[in-house]
Amino acid sequence: MKKFFKGSYILTFTLILGCVTPQGVYYKGFDPQKIKVISVGEFNSYGEYNTSGPMIKDMMIQHLLLRGYTVKEKDDPEVEYILLGSVTRFLPEKKYLVYMGTDKQQVMLGGPLTEISGSNVYNIGSAFGVPNSNIVVTNATVGVTARLVEKRTGNVVWSSGFSYEALTVETAAETVVNYLITSLTGIRK
């Protein structure tokens, strides 16, 4: 019965997410179809995760290229728009091995195993070869805000943000970037 409810939950969530139309805020009169040449500038990293900004920047470039855009370095004279942003949340997934001990053995937890911070937590079963143990996993969460700046005028012509939780940080980041680029371009991948 648990599998049925879990499967129903996942199917419902997938359908809802699939129906969500990515949205952003556009400058009055701006037409995203005018974008011909774009540059992806810096994305500020989140906290101690110094590589989160460059990771999101690279994914943004990939998604723009997948949709047929010309992407160049910001100093190129052909660049009309620069995409910038910040990683607002970057929490990779974590796995913990929890050994419960045996009837004859008492187990004391010696360190802080707390860290839930808004993510879903799953018990994925026992560790192979370690009796009386459980593997506990937390989801990854990624959040990004982005803005498109017209190079010639300095006007911000589009802005949006999105946050997503998934089993891995790569999946969460991929979903966030796909949402934002779809919001900007109107083109689904």
Side-chain angles (χ1 to χ4, degrees):
M1 191 64 144
K2 278 186 176 180
K3 285 185 179 181
F4 173 75
F5 284 118
K6 187 176 179 182
S8 298
Y9 173 75
I10 291 171
L11 179 62
T12 303
F13 181 74
T14 302
L15 288 172
I16 289 171
L17 187 61
C19 296
V20 172
T21 302
Q23 296 181 0
V25 179
Y26 290 98
Y27 183 76
K28 188 166 100 176
F30 175 71
D31 179 9
Q33 302 305 315
K34 293 187 332 183
I35 300 171
K36 301 282 187 268
V37 181
I38 190 169
S39 174
V40 179
E42 295 306 310
F43 274 76
N44 298 323
S45 292
Y46 179 78
E48 67 201 53
Y49 299 100
N50 298 342
T51 59
S52 62
M55 174 186 174
I56 296 298
K57 177 181 176 174
D58 290 343
M59 286 182 161
M60 291 283 190
I61 292 168
Q62 291 168 7
H63 277 263
L64 287 164
L65 292 172
L66 278 170
R67 288 167 173 85
Y69 287 86
T70 300
V71 181
K72 295 194 173 198
E73 293 298 320
K74 67 180 178 182
D75 296 331
D76 190 292
E78 291 181 56
V79 170
E80 303 166 315
Y81 298 96
I82 302 171
L83 184 61
L84 304 161
S86 294
V87 180
T88 59
R89 196 160 174 83
F90 193 87
L91 303 171
E93 70 280 5
K94 297 202 177 190
K95 294 179 184 167
Y96 301 97
L97 174 63
V98 181
Y99 178 64
M100 307 306 281
T102 63
D103 291 337
K104 296 178 184 175
Q105 187 180 38
Q106 187 177 22
V107 175
M108 302 289 284
L109 293 178
L113 252 186
T114 311
E115 165 133 7
I116 292 178
S117 76
S119 293
N120 285 322
V121 178
Y122 305 99
N123 178 352
I124 60 172
S126 62
F128 181 72
V130 183
N132 299 322
S133 65
N134 287 308
I135 299 173
V136 179
V137 178
T138 62
N139 276 350
T141 306
V142 174
V144 177
T145 59
R147 65 192 179 282
L148 186 68
V149 177
E150 186 176 35
K151 186 177 176 182
R152 184 178 52 82
T153 64
N155 289 338
V156 175
V157 294
W158 168 84
S159 180
S160 187
F162 190 62
S163 182
Y164 192 76
E165 184 176 304
L167 294 176
T168 66
V169 74
E170 291 83 4
T171 302
E174 184 75 25
T175 302
V176 168
V177 169
N178 184 51
Y179 178 94
L180 291 171
I181 296 299
T182 301
S183 166
L184 170 63
T185 65
I187 302 169
R188 290 188 183 269
K189 178 182 102 172

